Amino acid sequence: GRVDDALRSLEAIANAPKGRPTNLAQLRLRADVLYRSRTRYAEAARAYQEASNVGGVNAAEDAFLAARALSRADKDNEAIAAYGAVVTRFPRTGWADQASYFVPYLHLVHGRWREAAIGFDEYVKKFPSGAMRPETTRTRAIARLMMKDHRAARKLFEELADDNKGDALSFARARALSALAAFRDGDRT
C-alpha cells in the first residue's frame, strides 16, 4: 500500500550503477505499481501504453492493461478506443479476444444497447470459443432485452438456461428473463 515508496525504489533501481532491469522492465514495474495502487489508474494507463509502445513479448498484454486501467479510471470512451487498438494491433492474441468483449461491455454499462448488442454479436462470430464466450451469452441477451429485441433476447436467455442446467440459481434467472422477454414479445404462455 506504500505506492510512493515503491515508485522511489524503482527510481533508485533505475539509477543503480549495475544490475538494473531493462528500460522495458522498469516501465512495466512502474505500471504494475500504479495499477495495483487502485487509485492511480490514469497514470498506470500511460505507463502500460508506453511499455506496449516499446514492444517486447508482453506488448499485447501491456496494451490491454492500459485500456483496462483507463476504464478503471472512469475514462470508458478512451478505454473503448484503446481496446479497439489492441484488437487491431494484436488480432490473434488472447488479449484481442478479451478486448473484443470489453468494447461492447462498456457500451452496455453506459446504456448504449444497440452498440453493445452489435459488438457482442461480432464477438461471437469472431471468437466462437473465446475466453469470454460464456459471459457473452448473458450480456448479449441483456443488451437485446434492453433494446427491446425481445424475440432475440428470449432465444439467448433460453440458450443461457440450457447452458446452466447444473447451476439452479443461474438456470432460474435465465428462465425468468426468458419468460419476461417472451411476455414482452406478446407470448402470454
Side-chain angles (χ1 to χ4, degrees):
R2 295 170 36 201
V3 177
D4 291 329
D5 288 343
L7 293 173
R8 278 192 290 280
S9 294
L10 287 174
E11 289 173 17
I13 291 170
N15 295 322
K18 60 182 177 177
R20 64 178 167 246
T22 65
N23 181 47
L24 178 57
Q26 290 176 54
L27 288 170
R28 295 192 82 233
L29 285 168
R30 177 177 168 70
D32 188 54
V33 167
L34 293 166
Y35 190 86
R36 290 175 188 260
S37 76
R38 298 183 183 196
T39 59
R40 297 171 73 174
Y41 287 121
E43 291 175 78
R46 286 189 296 275
Y48 273 125
Q49 191 57 57
E50 191 175 346
S52 178
N53 292 342
V54 170
V57 296
N58 299 103
E61 178 183 11
D62 293 339
F64 176 83
L65 290 172
R68 193 83 173 126
L70 284 168
S71 183
R72 290 186 175 186
D74 293 325
K75 297 180 179 209
D76 287 341
N77 289 330
E78 291 176 45
I80 288 169
Y83 283 130
V86 171
V87 173
T88 300
R89 192 170 160 207
F90 307 101
R92 299 193 194 325
T93 65
W95 302 109
D97 174 341
Q98 291 183 61
S100 294
Y101 170 81
F102 280 110
V103 169
Y105 176 79
L106 290 175
H107 285 303
L108 182 76
V109 167
H110 291 282
R112 297 186 292 254
W113 315 123
R114 183 169 178 70
E115 292 90 341
I118 291 168
F120 289 131
D121 290 345
E122 289 172 1
Y123 175 85
V124 169
K125 286 177 191 166
K126 189 171 183 178
F127 299 99
S129 58
M132 305 305 290
R133 180 67 167 95
E135 182 64 18
T136 303
T137 304
R138 185 181 69 81
T139 51
R140 187 176 174 209
I142 291 168
R144 290 287 173 189
L145 182 66
M146 297 305 294
M147 67 181 275
K148 298 181 178 23
D149 184 357
H150 302 300
R151 186 165 289 135
R154 177 184 185 178
K155 182 178 181 278
L156 290 168
F157 282 122
E158 287 171 354
E159 286 176 23
L160 189 60
D162 289 343
D163 291 346
N164 285 290
K165 285 185 178 171
D167 178 356
L169 185 58
S170 294
F171 175 80
R173 283 182 186 146
R175 292 296 293 167
L177 288 167
S178 172
L180 175 64
F183 179 77
R184 288 183 177 173
D185 195 36
D187 184 350
R188 303 291 187 238
T189 59

